[in-house]
Amino acid sequence: MAGLIWAEIMKAMDLEIAHGLETPYPLQPSQNYVRLEGWAFILGQSKPCHVRLRVGSEIFEPSESVHRSDVGSRFPQEPHAASSGFVFVCYLPFGNHSGVLEVSGDESEQWLPVKSMMIPVSSHPLMGQFEPAGVCLLYTSPSPRDRQKSR
């Protein structure tokens, strides 16, 4: 329903968004972050567009703006197409998050959705160490913690 409303608003405003993602979708879990690469802009805008990634109630700005000569040559009539590239690196807690890539062409007053996505984030790996087994698989010497207690 919300997507239909946004489509109607964009149609009424006569706006068309061009975009592409280089990050494979669906996104694969990464350890405590998500990386999203691509490009996006609103066709026919006289000024460069701004992009952001909204994840829940958090807003992320691109960590890098990328010059995209391939997009500029694909859209030669659009003066800002070549400057539409972005890279997001967003650190998030463990879990599945709902995110929306958004674009604005009016000095960030109104944001339009480009793509909704699920963002899976895995936790840090568990780190540990195995100690060698003793005689007959019985541990016979004190552990480092036991040695500290006896001091």
Side-chain angles (χ1 to χ4, degrees):
M1 179 74 175
L4 180 62
I5 292 170
W6 273 113
E8 289 174 6
I9 290 171
M10 289 172 52
K11 191 174 183 178
M13 294 171 43
D14 200 26
L15 297 177
E16 187 177 351
I17 298 171
H19 76 284
L21 295 178
E22 273 73 47
T23 304
Y25 192 82
L27 300 174
Q28 299 301 309
S30 296
Q31 292 176 352
N32 289 56
Y33 78 98
V34 64
R35 179 182 172 93
L36 189 66
E37 279 185 68
W39 55 272
F41 64 93
I42 301 171
L43 295 170
Q45 292 291 302
S46 60
K47 298 178 183 177
C49 294
H50 302 282
V51 293
R52 71 181 187 183
L53 183 61
R54 185 169 38 90
V55 180
S57 61
E58 288 189 74
I59 303 293
F60 295 94
E61 296 294 324
S63 53
E64 186 180 345
S65 295
V66 181
H67 180 77
R68 298 291 305 256
S69 56
D70 60 326
V71 178
S73 62
R74 183 174 170 194
F75 297 93
Q77 73 284 7
E78 298 293 332
H80 306 291
S83 61
S84 65
F86 58 80
V87 174
F88 287 93
V89 178
C90 310
Y91 294 93
L92 299 167
F94 169 74
N96 285 319
H97 304 275
S98 177
V100 180
L101 178 65
E102 299 175 324
V103 65
S104 175
D106 60 1
E107 304 295 326
S108 304
E109 290 182 22
Q110 181 180 10
W111 292 92
L112 303 172
V114 176
K115 182 163 185 65
S116 297
M117 60 192 79
M118 287 304 300
I119 302 172
V121 177
S122 64
S123 63
H124 288 292
L126 297 175
M127 305 285 271
Q129 177 178 337
F130 289 101
E131 295 183 3
V135 178
C136 296
L137 300 178
L138 296 174
Y139 188 71
T140 56
S141 62
S143 70
R145 190 171 76 191
D146 292 337
R147 285 192 290 261
Q148 286 180 347
K149 286 182 182 178
S150 65
R151 290 184 188 173

